[in-house]
Amino acid sequence: MDYAGIIIPFVGGLGMFIYGMQIMAQGLENAAGNRMKSLLQVLTKNKFFGVLLGAFITAVIQSSSATTVMVVGFVNAGIMNLGQAMGVIMGANIGTTVTGWLVSAVEWAKFLSPGNLAPIAIMIGVIIMLTGTRRSTKDIASIIIGFGLLFVGITTMSSAVSPLKDSEAFCSIFVSLGVNPFLGIIAGALVTAVIQSSSASVGILQSLAAAGLVPFNAAVYIIMGQNIGTCVTAMLSSVGAKKTAKTAALMHLLFNVIGTAIFSVFAIIYFKVINTTIGQGIITQTQISMVHTAFNIVTTVLLFPASNGIIKLAKKIGKVEESEQDDSKVLLDDRMLETPSIAMQSTLSEVIRMGRIVEGTLDKAKTVMFTKDYKDILDIKEEEEKVDQLCGGITDYVIKITTLSINEREHEELAHLLQVISDIERISDYCENVSEYAETLQERSATFSEKGATELREMIEVCSDCYKYALDAFEDHDRDKAMIVIEKETRADDLEVSLRTEHMQRLANRECNTDAGIVFLDALVCMERISDHARNIAEEVLNMVK
């Protein structure tokens, strides 16, 4: 038998299958990007929503391994706790079954015959790609081309291995895998671990099934092994991560191992006691999809109530306890860059978190010049250092996203985001300036006159409201709140001019302390610039809303 004539086309078909799957997944991800961003927000609700989100994201990016790697990144960054991660991991196992159904469509939907549909799909996709100008059109073209290449790859693999059905030695290997469940599970796990894609591994199994090579019982054990093998990618990605991230990867492994153990017992009893003949029959591609889907859905249903126990077991094995997150640590992880739309949403959340820290700093700055409280002065300076660290880390992460495959609109969003980050950081700087003014007043035992204090409080209140409305507008993408910011910023400009004029008159009449008077003027400038940066944020919001 010409094994070279079998192996070379098979490897080429596998490469085409994986490449087609990636192209299709990229197109789907780009097309569903905004929906994925909004769905990410439900993570904070409950574990059930996490299951739905995990299934959706995995169906889009066509890889449970990639989803789990992303989850490890979320946990490592502190964005997601282990309970939320558990839900997404369970959902990822369900979402990964989509590829198998696409492949088996050649059996349950005859009009999808690869020989007819694949070349047509590729040609249509190429025509759309060459003639389309909009990014959304090119995304659709990628989906169609990837769909066609996936079918061409599976057909090539099936045709390559077809001669092996006449090989008694090769057929006996699969028979032995069916007779010995442990060997079947190990085989499935090893193949999946090597190619690091359960979807591709299932595709290989379906190509062998199309050639009439795989007994039913062997396929069942191999499928269960594939679910264990897909954990390898996440386990590798957790190397060097925090203990909680390693625990998330361990949860994925435990979930699949426990599910496999349960199903193995039932499968062994069924094939060896209840129905001894069905296991020896040849399985079809559609039946592989059915077994794969049933295994993952039933495992999720069975283990969902016990998910907290799995988390505790993983934490015990990993010797970890979740602790409070350091505010100065950037809660973003490079693993999330695998899915740019998710990375962008996470970055947006992180910018909002930085903005809320500055909001708290500004609240302290509102009173510190009047109380001269030493603790508040120190707190403001410490928080400013945190914001500087966050600003640098988030900016670096945004730059990484710009190097990915994102559309023009997303590039524009990132440009607006960078400007907002800069404005928030500058407001934090001005809060630190205010703390320094408080120190000056404290050192010189200076105080504002009653009228000066009243006027300065009014200015601070207007500028503080400017920033709070700007941050709310940014978080909610609210045009009306952005317009309120612009109105308040105009009010701040007018106040700065009038209060400066009145204060200069008081200084001339010796109605206030000179040291306090100088601080008053500096504080006016400082507050007016805070309102300027708040207006910049509002204008960026208006641009994004457009």
Side-chain angles (χ1 to χ4, degrees):
M1 185 172 291
D2 182 13
Y3 288 104
I6 294 173
I7 294 173
I8 293 174
F10 180 83
V11 172
L14 176 61
M16 198 173 297
F17 177 87
I18 295 174
Y19 182 60
M21 191 168 63
Q22 288 182 340
I23 291 176
M24 183 171 64
Q26 186 64 58
L28 283 165
E29 182 190 329
N30 290 339
N34 290 331
R35 184 167 297 178
M36 290 171 72
K37 289 178 190 177
S38 60
L39 281 175
L40 179 65
Q41 297 171 352
V42 307
L43 276 174
T44 55
K45 299 292 175 64
N46 58 46
K47 205 176 295 177
F48 177 72
F49 284 122
V51 173
L52 297 180
L53 180 65
F56 173 78
I57 292 177
T58 306
V60 169
I61 64 178
Q62 300 280 296
S63 173
S64 61
S65 297
T67 302
T68 310
V69 167
M70 209 160 36
V71 167
V72 170
F74 280 130
V75 173
N76 192 52
I79 294 175
M80 187 186 293
N81 62 41
L82 293 175
Q84 294 166 332
M86 189 73 228
V88 179
I89 286 168
M90 290 188 287
N93 279 13
I94 296 173
T96 196
T97 61
V98 170
T99 308
W101 283 107
L102 287 175
V103 173
S104 64
V106 298
E107 290 181 347
W108 52 266
K110 296 297 183 183
F111 65 91
L112 293 176
S113 169
N116 299 326
L117 187 64
I120 295 173
I122 293 172
M123 180 53 68
I124 292 173
V126 170
I127 291 172
I128 295 174
M129 181 72 74
L130 294 175
T131 59
T133 54
R134 298 178 61 183
R135 180 59 187 255
S136 57
T137 305
K138 293 185 181 294
D139 290 336
I140 293 171
S142 295
I143 296 170
I144 297 172
I145 292 172
F147 188 72
L149 288 176
L150 185 147
F151 273 151
V152 170
I154 200 72
T155 305
T156 304
M157 285 193 291
S158 299
S159 300
V161 299
S162 183
L164 291 175
K165 64 184 176 183
D166 298 324
S167 169
E168 292 184 11
F170 194 82
C171 291
S172 65
I173 292 175
F174 278 99
V175 171
S176 64
L177 293 178
V179 173
N180 190 324
F182 181 74
L183 287 178
I185 292 170
I186 290 296
L190 284 176
V191 171
T192 308
V194 170
I195 62 177
Q196 296 198 16
S197 172
S198 59
S199 296
S201 182
V202 171
I204 292 173
L205 185 62
Q206 287 178 306
S207 69
L208 294 169
L213 291 167
V214 187
F216 202 101
N217 52 8
V220 171
Y221 299 133
I222 290 171
I223 288 170
M224 289 189 286
Q226 288 168 337
N227 272 45
I228 294 175
T230 194
C231 301
V232 170
T233 309
M235 294 297 290
L236 290 174
S237 77
S238 69
V239 174
K242 294 191 306 184
K243 283 188 176 182
T244 47
K246 292 177 181 177
T247 303
L250 191 58
M251 279 164 22
H252 187 210
L253 179 62
L254 286 173
F255 177 75
N256 285 345
V257 168
I258 293 170
T260 297
I262 294 172
F263 264 79
S264 294
V265 172
F266 282 104
I268 291 169
I269 293 172
Y270 185 79
F271 291 134
K272 293 188 180 295
V273 179
I274 299 175
N275 192 333
T276 56
T277 58
I278 190 172
Q280 299 169 13
I282 299 301
I283 197 169
T284 65
Q285 291 178 315
T286 303
Q287 287 171 329
I288 287 175
S289 298
M290 293 170 66
V291 170
H292 190 210
T293 303
F295 171 69
N296 285 301
I297 290 178
V298 175
T299 299
T300 299
V301 172
L302 286 176
L303 296 182
F304 187 85
S307 57
N308 288 334
I310 295 174
I311 294 171
K312 289 179 182 177
L313 179 59
K315 288 170 74 173
K316 188 173 182 179
I317 295 172
K319 298 178 181 178
V320 65
E321 289 190 12
E322 293 184 87
S323 57
E324 290 186 11
Q325 180 65 48
D326 178 5
D327 283 344
S328 65
K329 180 176 174 57
V330 179
L331 306 184
L332 296 167
D333 194 286
D334 287 351
R335 296 169 183 83
M336 289 182 281
L337 296 172
E338 293 288 332
T339 310
S341 56
I342 298 291
M344 286 185 64
Q345 179 61 40
S346 301
T347 305
L348 183 64
S349 300
E350 191 67 349
V351 173
I352 293 168
R353 186 175 75 87
M354 183 177 84
R356 293 301 175 194
I357 291 174
V358 174
E359 184 179 23
T361 308
L362 185 55
D363 283 338
K364 291 186 179 75
K366 284 167 63 175
T367 60
V368 75
M369 282 190 295
F370 308 104
T371 65
K372 306 180 191 71
D373 186 278
Y374 186 67
K375 183 179 182 302
D376 283 345
I377 291 172
L378 289 180
D379 285 347
I380 290 171
K381 291 183 177 182
E382 287 176 5
E383 286 168 6
E384 204 284 323
E385 288 179 5
K386 290 180 183 177
V387 171
D388 281 347
Q389 291 179 42
L390 289 172
C391 178
I394 297 172
T395 301
D396 289 344
Y397 197 79
V398 170
I399 292 171
K400 289 179 183 178
I401 298 176
T402 61
T403 64
L404 305 176
S405 178
I406 57 176
N407 58 41
E408 186 177 343
R409 176 172 179 156
E410 288 171 327
H411 272 293
E412 290 176 1
E413 286 180 8
L414 290 174
H416 294 311
L417 203 56
L418 284 172
Q419 184 58 54
V420 170
I421 292 168
S422 174
D423 285 312
I424 291 175
E425 194 276 331
R426 292 295 295 134
I427 289 172
S428 177
D429 287 341
Y430 286 121
C431 288
E432 184 181 32
N433 290 349
V434 170
S435 72
E436 291 169 353
Y437 301 153
E439 277 187 302
T440 300
L441 292 172
Q442 186 185 60
E443 289 169 359
R444 300 181 183 180
S445 301
T447 56
F448 299 116
S449 66
E450 184 176 343
K451 184 170 178 58
T454 300
E455 290 177 346
L456 190 55
R457 281 193 175 95
E458 181 185 7
M459 180 68 174
I460 290 172
E461 201 62 42
V462 171
C463 295
S464 174
D465 283 348
C466 255
Y467 175 67
K468 290 181 179 180
Y469 271 106
L471 191 58
D472 287 344
F474 175 69
E475 182 172 7
D476 302 332
H477 280 68
D478 191 315
R479 185 181 184 280
D480 292 336
K481 288 179 181 177
M483 294 304 297
I484 291 174
V485 174
I486 293 173
E487 291 174 9
K488 285 185 174 293
E489 194 275 333
T490 303
R491 166 70 177 149
D493 286 346
D494 294 340
L495 262 179
E496 196 267 341
V497 173
S498 63
L499 295 184
R500 176 180 292 277
T501 301
E502 291 177 21
H503 186 68
M504 292 300 291
Q505 186 62 47
R506 284 197 299 274
L507 282 174
N509 296 335
R510 299 182 181 278
E511 295 176 8
C512 67
N513 179 279
T514 304
D515 290 332
I518 294 172
V519 169
F520 182 96
L521 294 173
D522 288 339
L524 280 183
V525 173
C526 191
M527 286 297 149
E528 192 275 331
R529 287 180 180 168
I530 286 176
S531 72
D532 285 343
H533 286 288
R535 177 172 181 143
N536 290 347
I537 294 171
E539 288 175 346
E540 293 300 329
V541 171
L542 294 175
N543 289 330
M544 286 190 279
V545 169
K546 284 181 184 179

